[in-house]
Amino acid sequence: KAHQRAMRAAALALAVLGGVRRAPSVRMGLLDRFTTSAPMAVVDKAPSWDALGEASAAQGGARLREIRAAQDAGRGPASHHANLRLFDAPDGFEPRVELFRDQAGWCPYCQKVWMALEAKRIPYKVTKVPMNCYGSKPASFRAISPSGAIPVARIDGQIVPESDDILFALEELFPEVPLLPEAGTPEGERARGLMGLERALFSAWFGWLRSRDDERGRPRFEATMDRAAAELEATPGPFFLGDKVSLVDIMFLPFVERMAASLPYYKGLRVRGGRWPAFDRWFEALEAGTDAGRGATGPRGG
């Protein structure tokens, strides 16, 4: 019986693949229907490239090409694909700022600078370099950043490393759209305190994420999130300083976004749609109401 089953399986395989007619001496029974005397013909029914192009254009491809063309010219919506952003500057304008950031659009420190440039509507161009985990950095980049760290900005010909230094340089050199309250004011002092809270939240998250000690890690993270949520609740608008995006929001977002992505999977804790509705409102306002938010929380990475 085992031999007969093996013979039937072999005959079936040959028949399905366009093999030869079965040997007359083998009883096939129900498998007779699979016999064939010639390979089956293959009919190419795939559409041509021209037909695919027409279908793509009819289903939004033309619109996508229009958007990409606008991005190449420095216009259109914020996108990690764009290598030039002109905003209200005329065609042919040479930006004072060049941002060196990661190709994947994933680096959170690059994201902070990207968001600030979008929020302040500073014309800039982008040079993309790989993160260390994605490949070696070119020698031309090593020449301006020997450590290979990103982001780096070239502002008026001067090299500025480190994301926070870049943010404060942009705030000083491009004051037309301020993202921080005036220094020395109560609002300015509150903003400084909130920036410290952002670092405390990052530390609580990253420490817990890398640890198996949930008994201490989770309460520490939740308590710090409670403090941050209370600060959001204390303002009249959805953002940390009220109804406008500030540098505080820009410093929080890259990491809170990653908390919302990592903690449900690794720790079973939901950040969005969980116990912090103030952060739900904050996320929604950033995603829907500002160019900076749409750019930073859009397609990735970077």
Side-chain angles (χ1 to χ4, degrees), residues 78-80 114-115 118 286 290-300:
S79 169
H80 74 285
W114 176 24
M115 287 184 66
E118 291 290 323
L286 282 167
T290 69
D291 286 340
R294 282 193 294 272
T297 59
R300 286 281 189 272

Side-chain angles (χ1 to χ4, degrees), residues 11-255:
L12 175 59
L14 285 171
V16 171
L17 295 174
V20 299
R21 184 187 301 273
R22 68 172 175 84
S25 60
V26 179
R27 286 191 64 184
M28 301 298 294
L30 294 175
L31 296 180
D32 286 347
R33 73 187 70 178
F34 294 107
T35 60
T36 180
S37 58
M40 294 182 292
V42 177
V43 179
D44 182 2
K45 295 184 178 180
S48 67
W49 286 110
D50 289 340
L52 286 172
E54 292 174 3
S56 174
Q59 298 179 25
R63 176 58 180 158
L64 179 59
R65 287 191 291 273
E66 180 183 325
I67 291 173
R68 287 293 176 87
Q71 289 171 348
D72 290 343
R75 313 297 180 183
S79 169
H80 74 285
H81 294 293
N83 292 325
L84 177 66
R85 296 287 283 157
L86 292 179
F87 302 107
D88 300 323
D91 292 342
F93 180 83
E94 182 62 26
R96 295 167 56 190
V97 178
E98 181 177 8
L99 172 63
F100 295 84
R101 69 166 181 82
D102 64 309
Q103 292 173 329
W106 172 244
C107 168
Y109 301 97
C110 299
Q111 184 180 347
K112 289 196 291 186
V113 178
W114 176 24
M115 287 184 66
L117 288 165
E118 291 290 323
K120 292 174 76 67
R121 296 181 65 80
I122 300 170
Y124 67 98
K125 56 187 176 181
V126 175
T127 297
K128 296 173 184 174
V129 295
M131 293 173 68
N132 289 332
C133 54
Y134 294 135
S136 300
K137 294 181 172 64
S140 58
F141 180 74
R142 289 282 185 180
I144 64 172
S145 178
S147 70
I150 50 176
V152 171
R154 183 185 279 123
I155 307 174
D156 295 330
Q158 299 296 312
I159 298 300
V160 184
E162 302 291 342
S163 60
D164 286 357
D165 290 343
I166 298 170
L167 292 174
F168 290 120
L170 294 175
E171 193 69 2
E172 179 181 348
L173 296 172
F174 299 89
E176 294 82 4
V177 181
L179 295 179
L180 280 177
E182 191 173 338
T185 64
E187 293 81 4
E189 290 304 308
R190 180 168 182 267
R192 286 175 59 86
L194 288 170
M195 291 179 189
L197 177 57
E198 183 275 325
R199 288 291 82 192
L201 182 60
F202 169 84
S203 178
W205 162 65
F206 205 53
W208 181 31
L209 190 66
R210 295 182 300 167
S211 170
R212 295 183 180 180
D213 186 0
D214 288 352
E215 290 187 4
R216 286 188 294 182
R218 180 169 184 146
R220 179 189 173 204
F221 173 78
E222 290 181 333
T224 313
M225 275 292 287
D226 288 343
R227 288 173 55 200
E231 293 288 351
L232 279 173
E233 295 280 8
T235 66
F239 306 114
F240 276 101
L241 298 184
D243 58 357
K244 293 182 180 180
V245 172
S246 72
L247 209 55
V248 175
D249 302 289
I250 286 170
M251 289 186 167
F252 267 87
L253 179 61
F255 298 103

